[in-house]
Amino acid sequence: MKGNEAIAHAAIRCGCDGYFGYPITPQSEVLETLAALKPWETTGMVVVQAESEVASINMLYGGGGTGKRVMTSSSSPGVALMQEGIAYMAGAEVPGLIVNVQRGGPGLGTIQPSQSDYNQATRGGGNGDYNVIVLAPNSVQEMADFVDLGFELAFKYRTPAMILSDGVIGQMMERVVLPPQKPRRTDEEILKECPWASNGMGLKQRGSHCITSLELDPAIMEQRNLHLQKKYAEIKQKEVRYETSFMDDAEYAIVAFGSASRIATKAVEMLREKGERVGLFRPITLWPFPEKEIEELATRVKGLLVVEINAGQMVYDVRLAAKGKAIVNHFGRLGGIVPDPDEIVDALMKVKSEAEKA
Amino acid sequence: MKHEIIISGFGGQGVLSMGKILAYAGLMEGKEVTWMPAYGPEQRGGTANVTVIVSDKPISSPILSSYDTAIVLNQPSLEKFQGKVKPGGDIIFDSFGIAEQPTRSDINTWCINAMETAAELKLMKCFNMFVLGGLLKLHPIVTIENVMKALRKSLPERHWDLLPMNEQAILKGMEIIKKV
């Protein structure tokens, strides 16, 4: 099935309580599949086609505030519209899952695949000092697997989580094993997992809860920010995920995430056939970013090539992490054009010739 | 075994669904498959293409620079993909949509008069299955039995009465493909 369809199936199966979304290419199959599967008749999951992306994200804020597992999905221009709501959720510590099946920008851009929302996703995207947890699937299988993982992390840390995918992974079909059906949590379970939630449960014992990102006293607001920063530091320490391949004897490495990592793997296979010792490093969490691992990698190889379907965004994180210990070049295509493996092979050979000159 | 295929033509010719049925049939055989459409705003009459990979091993990239087989169902597709067939590979075209035939001598060129035959047999709806039959004659990547299973999976049950004519089209396609 398609990556977008896998997201919808996985949402139902992981016990999601509600989906709010507005159609946009290339992710419309998420809402279409949910509408076809009618989970409100089986698990009781609510599916709403909202009037806009702004409405969707605020429904997510409301649903998450009650401790429910709620999600939305969109593509780049739609996710841009959601940024205010995501910042509110981060500020008010409301968990929720946002799926971005990216397309080319800026603005309305194109409908073809892109990874040009990397900066927006990994820097928070809205106003204020915050981050969201960003997972980057590179297969239809991971589209399915990361829905439950996204919810787990979002609730563990009371923060929004994002699946940053793109038109390649959303539209392609491949083999997928769907997770078994989990029941939706009962009210008692929600009460236990989310004692902070504002859902009218246990009102007499605990008094009322107020969920807001607003605080007019800057001294209290600073404390609240410090609390967020402490939480983010813990996430950075505990939740970094990455994958490597062909790295054992590698002299050069390609760093790529999501769909670009699939194409880069093919380039690595082609380079290996030519006798080049090239490996692949794939960040799975884009925030938290695998900084230490990239630094260690930079001490082992002569050069790194960062392949992204954008003008060069993750390359800055790689350069910061590499601390000048290896050459770090970038290769990308823009505006909805996806690089092919040949182009990546050529770009890697350029890194090699630069490293040899230096 | 790994076979990398591009199927390209006009929207409405069944390019994407032919790829899907091939991919499903691959899955039925326990193989790894990817199906990657070049999606766009195009509807009937626009251009459409899909990359299908069927392999015994996990597939790295769903997007390729070159292909084992290119199936081109109109002139722009032929021009676009002729140069991307691996040396020794195959190009399959339907003469109906083609004014200038493939020119490369280092690949095998095959012609299938699928459009004409489909019209003769009044099986226009199965046009893409004639072409798939032609491909399977050259490269038996999947069995016809599994293609039929795949058709059952992708056709809603109310259209299962169309299954025999699809099978007929596949078998006929295997007969009418000719080396140029």
Side-chain angles (χ1 to χ4, degrees):
Chain A
M1 65 174 67
K2 283 188 175 190
N4 289 335
E5 295 166 337
I7 291 256
H9 283 273
I12 299 169
R13 283 166 178 255
C14 80
C16 179
D17 297 299
Y19 171 92
F20 317 104
Y22 186 80
I24 180 171
T25 306
Q27 68 77 54
S28 296
E29 292 89 354
V30 180
L31 180 54
E32 282 170 18
T33 307
L34 285 169
L37 294 170
K38 296 184 188 165
W40 54 90
E41 289 178 0
T42 51
T43 69
M45 174 184 171
V46 171
V47 179
V48 177
Q49 177 173 339
E51 67 268 37
S52 71
E53 290 85 350
V54 176
S56 309
I57 196 71
N58 284 293
M59 289 175 184
L60 201 71
Y61 188 15
T66 67
K68 297 278 187 183
R69 279 189 158 205
V70 286
M71 68 182 282
T72 184
S73 65
S74 188
S75 180
S76 306
V79 176
L81 284 168
M82 293 183 184
Q83 292 303 326
E84 179 193 57
I86 298 172
Y88 277 43
M89 290 174 74
E93 295 193 87
V94 169
L97 181 64
I98 300 123
V99 180
N100 182 357
V101 183
Q102 297 168 90
R103 60 189 238 184
L108 279 178
T110 62
I111 61 172
Q112 274 75 30
S114 170
Q115 297 182 319
S116 52
D117 301 347
Y118 176 90
N119 280 345
Q120 182 199 60
T122 57
R123 268 64 185 166
N127 63 306
D129 278 315
Y130 77 94
N131 289 100
V132 300
I133 297 168
V134 183
L135 301 166
N138 83 341
S139 63
V140 173
Q141 185 64 54
E142 286 189 347
M143 286 288 253
D145 295 344
F146 287 1
V147 175
D148 193 44
L149 176 62
F151 275 124
E152 292 292 331
L153 293 171
F155 276 82
K156 184 173 175 191
Y157 295 103
R158 276 188 69 183
T159 193
M162 178 180 280
I163 294 177
L164 190 69
S165 179
D166 64 60
V168 173
I169 307 294
Q171 290 297 323
M172 76 183 283
M173 284 204 257
E174 61 185 345
R175 178 194 297 277
V176 56
V177 180
L178 293 172
Q181 179 71 51
K182 276 207 294 200
R184 288 169 54 230
R185 291 166 306 157
T186 61
D187 284 352
E188 290 69 32
E189 285 166 333
I190 291 174
L191 199 58
K192 207 174 151 204
E193 188 182 14
C194 311
W196 47 264
S198 179
N199 48 18
M201 290 192 279
L203 206 56
K204 275 183 196 152
Q205 297 88 329
R206 60 155 168 84
S208 62
H209 285 157
C210 176
I211 290 179
T212 179
S213 61
L214 178 71
E215 176 51 63
L216 291 176
D217 183 342
I220 299 176
M221 196 61 206
E222 184 178 44
Q223 288 308 312
R224 201 180 273 179
N225 264 280
L226 288 171
H227 162 72
L228 289 180
Q229 291 305 317
K230 202 177 146 198
K231 175 167 82 176
Y232 298 149
E234 188 189 344
I235 297 172
K236 281 173 98 166
Q237 204 192 348
K238 291 183 183 165
E239 303 299 347
V240 169
R241 288 171 167 79
Y242 63 95
E243 189 182 76
T244 60
S245 49
F246 302 98
M247 280 309 304
D248 289 346
D249 62 342
E251 292 177 338
Y252 296 89
I254 297 176
V255 184
F257 69 94
S259 61
S261 72
R262 292 288 292 269
I263 307 165
T265 307
K266 176 85 182 181
V268 169
E269 288 166 5
M270 290 159 70
L271 285 157
R272 286 268 164 188
E273 268 171 39
K274 293 206 286 183
E276 303 291 342
R277 290 185 185 177
V278 181
L280 182 87
F281 184 98
R282 170 169 83 100
I284 294 172
T285 49
L286 303 182
W287 193 91
F289 191 71
E291 291 166 19
K292 281 181 216 137
E293 292 77 9
I294 298 268
E295 183 183 356
E296 191 272 328
L297 182 68
T299 61
R300 278 199 289 145
V301 297
K302 297 175 186 164
L304 295 166
L305 176 68
V306 181
V307 177
E308 306 170 76
I309 313 179
N310 61 37
Q313 300 191 15
M314 182 173 73
V315 65
Y316 290 103
D317 283 333
V318 174
R319 281 194 185 127
L320 276 173
K323 295 181 180 159
K325 290 171 183 166
I327 292 173
V328 179
N329 279 10
H330 172 265
F331 178 77
R333 295 294 303 264
L334 312 175
I337 300 288
V338 177
D340 71 36
D342 280 351
E343 295 176 304
I344 299 173
V345 168
D346 292 347
L348 194 279
M349 294 314 285
K350 258 190 214 161
V351 175
K352 189 183 173 187
S353 69
E354 265 181 52
E356 279 170 357
K357 264 184 228 157
Chain B
M1 191 286 292
K2 179 154 103 175
H3 209 88
E4 301 174 329
I5 303 164
I6 180 93
I7 310 167
S8 183
F10 288 121
Q13 280 182 317
V15 164
L16 298 188
S17 57
M18 173 182 163
K20 190 162 96 175
I21 287 155
L22 178 60
Y24 277 160
L27 263 189
M28 311 267 176
E29 305 208 348
K31 294 193 163 77
E32 297 292 333
V33 299
T34 61
W35 176 92
M36 180 68 223
Y39 66 91
E42 298 94 358
Q43 297 274 315
R44 187 176 302 175
T47 58
N49 72 63
V50 61
T51 304
V52 177
I53 307 173
V54 182
S55 173
D56 291 330
K57 290 187 190 144
I59 297 162
S60 52
S61 176
I63 290 162
L64 301 167
S65 324
S66 57
Y67 308 92
D68 297 311
T69 301
I71 299 174
V72 293
L73 300 176
N74 60 19
Q75 194 69 40
S77 302
L78 189 151
E79 277 151 27
K80 188 168 178 187
F81 293 111
Q82 174 175 205
K84 294 188 175 179
V85 178
K86 294 175 195 170
D90 299 289
I91 190 164
I92 301 172
F93 69 97
D94 182 340
S95 57
F96 187 79
I98 302 296
E100 286 168 49
Q101 294 200 357
T103 48
R104 275 178 64 181
S105 53
D106 62 335
I107 58 175
N108 303 305
T109 302
W110 305 85
C111 176
I112 181 161
N113 290 326
M115 189 68 84
E116 217 175 270
T117 314
E120 256 169 44
L121 299 175
K122 297 195 167 57
L123 291 174
M124 284 302 284
K125 275 185 188 166
C126 307
F127 162 71
N128 59 352
M129 289 300 105
F130 285 91
V131 182
L132 181 60
L135 170 72
L136 294 178
K137 172 79 182 175
L138 303 189
H139 300 287
I141 311 162
V142 293
T143 63
I144 293 179
E145 199 188 354
N146 280 320
V147 173
M148 294 313 293
K149 275 193 203 161
L151 274 165
R152 249 175 236 115
K153 184 171 161 64
S154 55
L155 280 176
E157 215 171 320
R158 64 179 188 278
H159 291 314
W160 282 12
D161 56 319
L162 303 175
L163 290 171
M165 65 172 78
N166 276 282
E167 188 167 18
Q168 191 193 340
I170 295 165
L171 294 172
K172 190 73 189 171
M174 298 179 99
E175 278 173 34
I176 60 174
I177 189 160
K178 288 191 302 270
K179 188 147 191 206
V180 177

mmCIF file of all heavy atoms in Angstrom, chain A residues 77 84 99 135 145 167 225 305 335 348:
data_model
loop_
_atom_site.group_PDB
_atom_site.id
_atom_site.type_symbol
_atom_site.label_atom_id
_atom_site.label_comp_id
_atom_site.label_asym_id
_atom_site.label_seq_id
_atom_site.Cartn_x
_atom_site.Cartn_y
_atom_site.Cartn_z
ATOM 1 N N PRO A 77 2.458 23.619 2.613
ATOM 2 C CA PRO A 77 1.763 24.895 2.833
ATOM 3 C C PRO A 77 0.760 24.798 3.978
ATOM 4 O O PRO A 77 0.566 25.764 4.737
ATOM 5 C CB PRO A 77 1.042 25.158 1.513
ATOM 6 C CG PRO A 77 1.656 24.248 0.514
ATOM 7 C CD PRO A 77 2.185 23.080 1.268
ATOM 8 N N GLU A 84 1.304 28.288 14.278
ATOM 9 C CA GLU A 84 0.846 28.971 15.492
ATOM 10 C C GLU A 84 0.300 27.962 16.504
ATOM 11 O O GLU A 84 0.673 27.972 17.685
ATOM 12 C CB GLU A 84 -0.245 29.978 15.135
ATOM 13 C CG GLU A 84 -0.793 30.709 16.342
ATOM 14 C CD GLU A 84 -2.079 31.468 16.007
ATOM 15 O OE1 GLU A 84 -3.046 30.837 15.537
ATOM 16 O OE2 GLU A 84 -2.105 32.675 16.222
ATOM 17 N N VAL A 99 1.568 15.071 10.945
ATOM 18 C CA VAL A 99 2.263 14.426 9.831
ATOM 19 C C VAL A 99 2.418 15.445 8.700
ATOM 20 O O VAL A 99 1.432 16.052 8.282
ATOM 21 C CB VAL A 99 1.480 13.196 9.309
ATOM 22 C CG1 VAL A 99 2.226 12.535 8.158
ATOM 23 C CG2 VAL A 99 1.229 12.194 10.436
ATOM 24 N N LEU A 135 10.353 12.810 13.539
ATOM 25 C CA LEU A 135 10.714 11.477 13.042
ATOM 26 C C LEU A 135 10.667 11.492 11.518
ATOM 27 O O LEU A 135 9.706 11.983 10.933
ATOM 28 C CB LEU A 135 9.721 10.433 13.563
ATOM 29 C CG LEU A 135 9.606 10.297 15.078
ATOM 30 C CD1 LEU A 135 8.360 9.480 15.432
ATOM 31 C CD2 LEU A 135 10.850 9.638 15.656
ATOM 32 N N ASP A 145 4.999 2.404 11.299
ATOM 33 C CA ASP A 145 5.585 2.216 12.636
ATOM 34 C C ASP A 145 5.696 3.521 13.429
ATOM 35 O O ASP A 145 5.605 3.527 14.650
ATOM 36 C CB ASP A 145 6.983 1.593 12.513
ATOM 37 C CG ASP A 145 6.934 0.182 11.932
ATOM 38 O OD1 ASP A 145 5.836 -0.402 11.912
ATOM 39 O OD2 ASP A 145 7.986 -0.322 11.491
ATOM 40 N N GLY A 167 6.535 13.542 -0.471
ATOM 41 C CA GLY A 167 5.719 12.976 -1.549
ATOM 42 C C GLY A 167 6.202 11.634 -2.061
ATOM 43 O O GLY A 167 5.398 10.840 -2.558
ATOM 44 N N ASN A 225 9.747 28.325 30.759
ATOM 45 C CA ASN A 225 10.687 28.091 29.660
ATOM 46 C C ASN A 225 11.845 27.203 30.094
ATOM 47 O O ASN A 225 12.271 26.310 29.347
ATOM 48 C CB ASN A 225 11.234 29.424 29.133
ATOM 49 C CG ASN A 225 10.453 29.914 27.925
ATOM 50 O OD1 ASN A 225 10.678 29.440 26.805
ATOM 51 N ND2 ASN A 225 9.534 30.832 28.142
ATOM 52 N N LEU A 305 29.043 13.775 2.506
ATOM 53 C CA LEU A 305 28.144 14.411 1.537
ATOM 54 C C LEU A 305 26.737 14.366 2.113
ATOM 55 O O LEU A 305 26.215 13.289 2.408
ATOM 56 C CB LEU A 305 28.179 13.675 0.191
ATOM 57 C CG LEU A 305 27.193 14.214 -0.852
ATOM 58 C CD1 LEU A 305 27.598 15.609 -1.320
ATOM 59 C CD2 LEU A 305 27.073 13.268 -2.042
ATOM 60 N N GLY A 335 12.483 22.313 -5.588
ATOM 61 C CA GLY A 335 11.199 22.634 -6.215
ATOM 62 C C GLY A 335 10.385 21.441 -6.674
ATOM 63 O O GLY A 335 9.527 21.577 -7.534
ATOM 64 N N LEU A 348 29.392 12.693 -4.818
ATOM 65 C CA LEU A 348 30.292 12.039 -3.849
ATOM 66 C C LEU A 348 31.723 12.014 -4.408
ATOM 67 O O LEU A 348 32.694 12.244 -3.671
ATOM 68 C CB LEU A 348 29.785 10.626 -3.534
ATOM 69 C CG LEU A 348 30.354 9.857 -2.338
ATOM 70 C CD1 LEU A 348 31.700 9.209 -2.658
ATOM 71 C CD2 LEU A 348 30.483 10.703 -1.069
#
